[in-house]
């Protein structure tokens, strides 16, 4: 672990490591959870270094999925970084007594000199305030020194200061996104906030000031009115310890439907693994995307409209009135994962028998393994190497039962490769996965991989009936 601590700045350590482990009766469990948290930090740091020195090409399946989580156990929230967020509320769960807090922002939009900045998607994850500063407008600059320099220029030009109590500091951005035109004009700049909140008893005020803008933006954390009971949040359906909750509002001829997820531990783990390892979140039976989640009116007709992704669900904006109620939200089953992993030795000689690997909820069958001499090119540095490309194809056959495994990650165990490519192929019944590894040129008889993070559907779709819209305040 020494190399991890050396790599991180002191401020980053304070952000990522717990100052003290919450009290737990089971001391063994507490130590295991702390160990998991530190291992994850180490894995993230190694991955950052790895991406700096080589390019990994990934062909991903894009699916309409609800991302985020809500958990009752504060220990799970504290160490596994499960998002505590409800659409339209934004909540904080205290690590000790599970109190819930709401984030309120006064005047989240400012405009000056042709630039508009808006605070969007702010919520509290444990004691961390997270959200986006979205800059748009004709007043944004044009790239002059290349894309690598424009972000530094924007970060300096629109520096954000964070105020709490009598103290203040320049905000730390955990990352950013940006869009430019073909001519290099910046169309949108979105730095991501990740700042620590110093919460104590009662309600507290915080503020941001943005360089170039006149007024501070004030933020308040107050005790929320929501509860942990799904029935108090909206209409809900629960299957296999996972709940989908939905509610609706009507304004004239427009209906807004929000839905969000309260996951089981295995579904929450899948959401966590999705960001860490890129597990595949797609249906076992590959239905069209529009069948994955949709709204029906009282006549059974599908309602068309705009869908916006929320942190742990989605928000539909539809044309309709109260006459369309009751509405039904249909959502396909969710994915679960576990930490099960197995090493597998893949023979590369022609005619060799390929292995099958059994997991709890399915069996991975290897279809082919081949190697060929190629020239590997690094698109970032334009470096080339004589290499041997090893390509492995495999599929997953689900076992019988509620939980049906459909995919697993294949990871090459050594770090002597130049690069990795992933690819996917959908059939009527299976997801065919392919992994290519570029290695120093040499004929090999076998390679050892690790199969990890098995993905499985937790059976049963969700049909949430929204009897009537919420009453207007």
């Amino acid at each position: 672990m020494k190399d991890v601590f050396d790599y991180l700045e002191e401020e980053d350590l304070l952000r990522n490591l717990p100052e003290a482990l919450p009290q737990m009766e089971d001391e063994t469990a507490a130590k295991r959870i702390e160990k998991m948290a530190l291992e994850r930090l180490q894995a993230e740091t190694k991955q950052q270094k790895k991406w700096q020195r080589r390019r990994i090409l990934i062909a991903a399946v894009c699916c309409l999925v609800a991302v985020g989580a809500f958990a009752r156990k504060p220990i799970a929230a504290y160490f596994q970084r499960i998002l505590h967020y409800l659409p339209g509320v934004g909540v904080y769960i205290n690590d000790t007594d599970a109190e819930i807090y709401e984030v309120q922002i006064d005047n989240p939009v400012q405009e000056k000199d042709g630039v508009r900045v808006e605070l969007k998607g702010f919520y509290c994850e444990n004691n961390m305030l997270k959200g986006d500063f979205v800059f748009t407008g004709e007043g944004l600059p044009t790239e002059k020194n290349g894309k690598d320099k424009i972000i530094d220029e924007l970060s300096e030009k629109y520096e954000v200061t964070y105020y709490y109590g009598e103290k203040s500091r320049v905000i730390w951005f955990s990352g950013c996104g940006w869009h430019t035109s073909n001519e290099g004009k910046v169309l949108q700049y979105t730095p991501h906030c990740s700042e620590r909140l110093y919460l104590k008893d009662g309600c507290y005020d915080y503020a941001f000031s943005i360089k170039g803008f006149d007024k501070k933006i004030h933020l308040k954390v107050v005790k929320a009115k929501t509860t942990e009971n799904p029935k108090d949040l909206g209409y809900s359906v629960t299957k296999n310890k996972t709940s989908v909750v939905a509610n609706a509002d009507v304004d004239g001829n427009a209906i807004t439907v929000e839905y969000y997820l309260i996951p089981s531990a295995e579904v929450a783990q899948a959401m966590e693994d999705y960001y860490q390892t890129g597990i595949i979140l797609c249906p076992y039976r590959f239905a069209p995307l529009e069948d994955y989640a949709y709204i029906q009116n009282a006549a059974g007709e599908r309602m068309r409209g705009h869908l916006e992704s929320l942190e742990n669900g989605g928000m539909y904006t539809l044309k309709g009135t109260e006459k369309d109620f009751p509405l039904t939200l249909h959502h396909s089953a969710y994915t679960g994962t576990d930490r099960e992993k197995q090493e597998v030795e893949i023979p590369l000689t022609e005619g060799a028998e390929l292995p099958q690997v059994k997991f709890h909820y399915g069996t991975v069958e290897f279809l082919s393994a081949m190697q060929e001499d190629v020239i590997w090119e690094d698109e970032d540095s334009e470096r080339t190497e004589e290499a041997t490309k090893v390509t492995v194809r495999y599929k997953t056959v689900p076992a019988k039962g509620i939980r049906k495994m459909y995919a697993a990650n294949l990871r090459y165990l050594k770090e002597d490769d130049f690069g990795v490519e992933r690819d996917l192929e959908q059939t009527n019944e299976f997801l065919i996965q392919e992994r290519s590894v570029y290695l120093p040129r040499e004929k090999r008889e076998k390679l050892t991989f690790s199969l990890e993070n098995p993905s499985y559907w937790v059976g049963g779709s969700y049909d949430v009936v929204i009897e009537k819209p919420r009453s207007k305040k």
Side-chain angles (χ1 to χ4, degrees), residues 70-72 84-86 89-103 124 126 199 202-203 221-229 232-233 262:
F70 184 97
R72 296 183 181 181
H84 295 269
Y85 174 89
L86 299 178
V89 179
V91 301
Y92 165 86
I93 295 187
N94 184 286
D95 296 323
T96 304
D97 53 21
E99 285 188 272
I100 299 176
Y101 293 84
E102 178 181 345
V103 176
C124 288
N126 304 322
L199 289 169
C203 305
V221 178
V222 300
K223 290 186 177 181
K225 298 178 182 179
T226 57
T227 69
E228 293 178 345
N229 189 345
D232 296 331
L233 301 172
I262 303 176

Side-chain angles (χ1 to χ4, degrees), residues 345-355 368-372 388-392 412 437 439 442-449:
E345 192 174 86
I346 307 294
L348 301 177
T349 54
E350 187 176 352
E353 183 178 355
L354 296 173
S368 64
M370 60 175 292
Q371 58 184 321
E372 58 180 326
T388 296
K389 179 182 179 182
V390 177
T391 302
V392 178
Y412 178 57
V437 182
L439 301 165
E442 176 188 342
K443 291 297 181 183
R444 295 166 173 81
E445 293 186 357
K446 59 186 177 182
L447 279 184
T448 302
F449 292 84

Side-chain angles (χ1 to χ4, degrees), residues 95-116:
D95 296 323
T96 304
D97 53 21
E99 285 188 272
I100 299 176
Y101 293 84
E102 178 181 345
V103 176
Q104 297 176 346
I105 301 177
D106 295 333
N107 302 318
V109 179
Q110 289 194 30
E111 294 188 52
K112 189 176 181 182
D113 299 332
V115 178
R116 183 179 191 271

Side-chain angles (χ1 to χ4, degrees), residues 40 65-73 76-87 90-93 100 123-126 227-228 233 241-245 259-275 281 309-314 334-335:
R40 176 175 171 181
V65 293
V67 293
F70 184 97
R72 296 183 181 181
K73 294 183 179 180
Y78 195 77
F79 286 99
Q80 297 179 19
R81 304 179 189 178
I82 296 173
L83 299 182
H84 295 269
Y85 174 89
L86 299 178
V91 301
Y92 165 86
I93 295 187
I100 299 176
Y123 62 94
C124 288
E125 178 186 350
N126 304 322
T227 69
E228 293 178 345
L233 301 172
K241 299 182 180 180
T242 290
S243 298
V244 176
V245 185
Y259 75 89
Y260 40 97
L261 170 69
I262 303 176
S264 65
E266 59 190 339
V267 173
Q269 188 63 62
M271 302 303 176
E272 190 83 354
D273 289 337
Y274 173 71
Y275 293 108
L281 294 173
S309 178
L310 299 174
E311 285 295 331
N312 60 336
Y334 285 95
T335 290

Side-chain angles (χ1 to χ4, degrees), residues 344-389:
V344 56
E345 192 174 86
I346 307 294
L348 301 177
T349 54
E350 187 176 352
E353 183 178 355
L354 296 173
Q356 297 184 1
V357 182
K358 288 189 177 181
F359 285 83
H360 288 141
Y361 306 122
T363 301
V364 174
E365 296 184 358
F366 287 89
L367 305 176
S368 64
M370 60 175 292
Q371 58 184 321
E372 58 180 326
D373 290 339
V374 297
I375 299 297
W376 175 78
E377 298 181 7
D378 187 340
E379 294 181 9
D380 290 334
S381 65
E382 298 183 355
R383 180 170 65 93
T384 62
E385 295 283 353
E386 291 187 347
T388 296
K389 179 182 179 182

Side-chain angles (χ1 to χ4, degrees), residues 159-226:
E159 181 181 87
V160 179
T161 303
Y162 167 50
Y163 299 87
Y164 53 102
E166 300 298 322
K167 299 180 180 180
S168 66
R169 68 167 179 266
V170 174
I171 203 169
W172 177 77
F173 290 131
S174 58
C176 71
W178 72 97
H179 301 291
T180 59
S181 68
N182 293 333
E183 294 75 28
K185 174 71 175 177
V186 178
L187 304 176
Q188 180 174 307
Y189 165 55
T190 308
H192 309 307
C193 168
S194 182
E195 279 295 335
R196 184 174 181 179
L197 283 179
Y198 297 88
L199 289 169
K200 297 179 181 178
D201 296 333
C203 305
Y204 279 81
D205 292 305
Y206 306 86
F208 295 117
S209 68
I210 304 171
K211 186 188 291 186
F213 292 84
D214 299 327
K215 298 180 180 179
K216 290 182 180 178
I217 298 176
H218 292 276
L219 176 148
K220 182 179 288 187
V221 178
V222 300
K223 290 186 177 181
K225 298 178 182 179
T226 57

